[in-house]
Amino acid sequence: MNRALRIIFSRYGIVVIILILVLGVIALASQRQQTPLDGGNTANGGSSSEASSEAFTEDDGLATENCEGDDCYPEEELPQEAVDRSVEFAEVWLNPNGYSADGWYDTLVPFLTDDQAELMQGVDPISVPATEITGEPVPEGLKVGIPMDTGTLTLTMTEGSNNSTELDWLVSAIDWEQS
């Protein structure tokens, strides 16, 4: 018994144990040939790559009939009230009244989703990289780009409510691109 344990726990014994484990994992992995698209179920016994390509040709209900190109999937557009709300937020974000961090945060909260408001806690208004809006807002999908003197403020808008606002358009993400 002592001799068997000494062999098993020697360098060579440990190498053999690791080799057996690796080969076992490889054997198990080679038996399981599933793809996320078809779950490994092929009705006709064909290969999983054939089943995967068939899954791509099935109607997903999103595209229109006989549709080709980029126009197949309609892009959601924001109503004018959401664009107006994003501009109102941008005006408050610029902190024209020179509020302290807490005062500035309090003016922003009615425009923000709860998650975004949580991210903005503790942000200093001095960190705002712009001083004025220089152009018209540009809506694209659910985002609104607002040109500023030093870059573009991009706001992602979502319809919802927060602790201080009933159902309205709220800012769910804030992005800045320096020009």
Side-chain angles (χ1 to χ4, degrees):
M1 180 70 174
N2 228 0
R3 185 172 183 208
L5 289 175
R6 199 175 322 142
I7 292 172
I8 290 173
F9 291 110
S10 70
R11 275 186 253 178
Y12 302 112
I14 292 174
V15 168
V16 170
I17 291 171
I18 292 173
L19 185 62
I20 290 171
L21 288 173
V22 168
L23 291 176
V25 168
I26 291 171
L28 288 173
S30 67
Q31 289 178 352
R32 183 175 179 241
Q33 293 184 358
Q34 290 184 341
T35 63
L37 296 175
D38 68 359
N41 300 324
T42 54
N44 60 2
S47 72
S48 62
S49 63
E50 290 173 9
S52 297
S53 64
E54 289 173 13
F56 282 124
T57 60
E58 293 177 14
D59 184 15
D60 60 3
L62 295 176
T64 59
E65 290 183 32
N66 301 324
C67 182
E68 294 180 16
D70 292 336
D71 297 331
C72 293
Y73 299 95
E75 191 171 309
E76 196 171 337
E77 289 188 31
L78 288 173
Q80 186 60 40
E81 64 187 60
V83 176
D84 294 343
R85 183 92 167 141
S86 69
V87 172
E88 289 174 27
F89 171 82
E91 290 169 348
V92 172
W93 182 71
L94 291 172
N95 196 18
N97 298 323
Y99 290 120
S100 67
D102 291 336
W104 179 66
Y105 175 76
D106 291 341
T107 61
L108 293 177
V109 168
F111 296 94
L112 302 171
T113 61
D114 291 333
D115 291 340
Q116 188 61 39
E118 193 174 305
L119 292 172
M120 291 294 291
Q121 271 184 329
V123 175
D124 192 343
I126 294 174
S127 65
V128 173
T131 57
E132 66 178 335
I133 297 173
T134 59
E136 293 296 315
V138 180
E140 186 175 321
L142 295 177
K143 296 183 178 195
V144 178
I146 302 172
M148 304 244 172
D149 55 345
T150 58
T152 302
L153 177 66
T154 303
L155 305 173
T156 303
M157 303 301 290
T158 187
E159 197 168 17
S161 61
N162 60 20
N163 293 334
S164 59
T165 305
E166 296 286 326
L167 185 64
D168 203 348
W169 287 96
L170 301 173
V171 176
S172 61
I174 303 169
D175 292 312
W176 175 256
E177 185 178 322
Q178 193 77 27
S179 59

